[in-house]
Amino acid sequence: MRPYPDPFYPVVDSVDWVRRLAALGVGTVQIRAKDLAPAAALALVREALAASAGTSTRLVVNDYWEAAIEAKAEHLHLGQEDLAEADIGAIRRAGMTLGISTHDEAELDTALAVDPDYIALGPIYFTTLKAMRFDPQGLDRIGEWKKRIGSVPLVAIGGITLEKGAGVFEAGADTIAVVSDVTQNADPEARVRDWLALGKRYRKG
């Protein structure tokens, strides 16, 4: 049985990226596009699901839980603010998996209270992708988080490049979520293939 999420877990903001990654055989892809109106969010989710249909790619919807339910998505990821407002009961009744972002001990406690399918920790390294309220977590924090959550998969995210990937896995991460190291790479297809090879080396289960 394939682990969820896969060791390599790209996060992208367009259906075109979902389509490209699915064609390359990426097992888990998150669609994350911020500040959409409900109708636009639903359209995006439906298009992304269509782009990954018939492939081995499991599509994860970021934040838009109502659209995810309506579009019959199978996987959802929530940040802390969205978690506070989401109807967890409705999400569970829809049968979706649920991953939660965390940045400190209080957020980890909040996340664990909803029995998530995975916990994300970030940013591991400095990132310019978006403004962060939290300093880089570093590799030691990965080990600490993994001890606390036990068998729950741990996803590391934030400033992680392929060159740093082995160290992140060896620190205790089950999965590495990647954004700019793929989407801003001069040869994203080659980068994805290298990430898939690295993930295969560290895949558990």
Side-chain angles (χ1 to χ4, degrees):
M1 186 174 178
R2 282 170 59 193
Y4 175 77
D6 288 76
F8 171 55
Y9 182 7
V11 179
V12 297
D13 62 0
S14 73
V15 173
D16 180 60
W17 271 114
V18 172
R19 189 174 293 110
R20 291 172 70 179
L21 293 169
L24 289 167
V26 177
T28 308
V29 176
Q30 183 182 130
I31 182 78
R32 181 175 72 184
K34 295 296 187 179
D35 302 320
L36 296 181
L42 180 58
L44 177 74
V45 172
R46 283 178 169 160
E47 289 172 19
L49 286 168
S52 59
T55 74
S56 60
T57 298
R58 297 178 288 203
L59 182 81
V60 184
V61 177
N62 180 282
D63 290 349
Y64 299 116
W65 61 273
E66 291 168 303
I69 291 173
E70 188 167 347
K72 295 182 169 53
E74 296 180 358
H75 308 284
L76 180 68
H77 180 95
L78 294 177
Q80 291 283 320
E81 292 180 3
D82 297 279
L83 175 62
E85 299 175 358
D87 185 338
I88 300 301
I91 290 167
R92 290 307 191 188
R93 286 191 295 274
M96 285 188 289
T97 66
L98 179 60
I100 305 292
S101 294
T102 67
H103 307 87
D104 60 25
E105 295 282 350
E107 291 188 352
L108 180 57
D109 289 340
T110 298
L112 290 174
V114 300
D115 190 25
D117 293 277
Y118 69 79
I119 292 285
L121 170 66
I124 303 305
Y125 297 106
F126 177 76
T127 176
T128 58
L129 194 65
K130 62 178 181 177
M132 297 296 296
R133 295 186 295 116
F134 300 91
D135 292 330
Q137 305 281 358
L139 296 181
D140 289 344
R141 184 65 64 87
I142 294 173
E144 293 168 12
W145 247 234
K146 189 58 186 172
K147 286 179 183 177
R148 279 205 55 190
I149 68 177
S151 62
V152 178
L154 177 62
V155 177
I157 187 170
I160 304 172
T161 61
L162 179 70
E163 293 74 20
K164 296 174 180 175
V168 173
F169 280 125
E170 289 167 7
D174 300 287
T175 295
I176 296 176
V178 177
V179 187
S180 58
D181 196 57
V182 167
T183 61
Q184 296 179 16
N185 195 275
D187 188 348
E189 281 76 14
R191 197 66 160 179
V192 165
R193 287 191 286 270
D194 288 342
W195 268 111
L196 288 170
L198 180 67
K200 190 174 182 179
R201 281 173 47 201
Y202 286 97
R203 179 171 172 170
K204 301 173 184 177

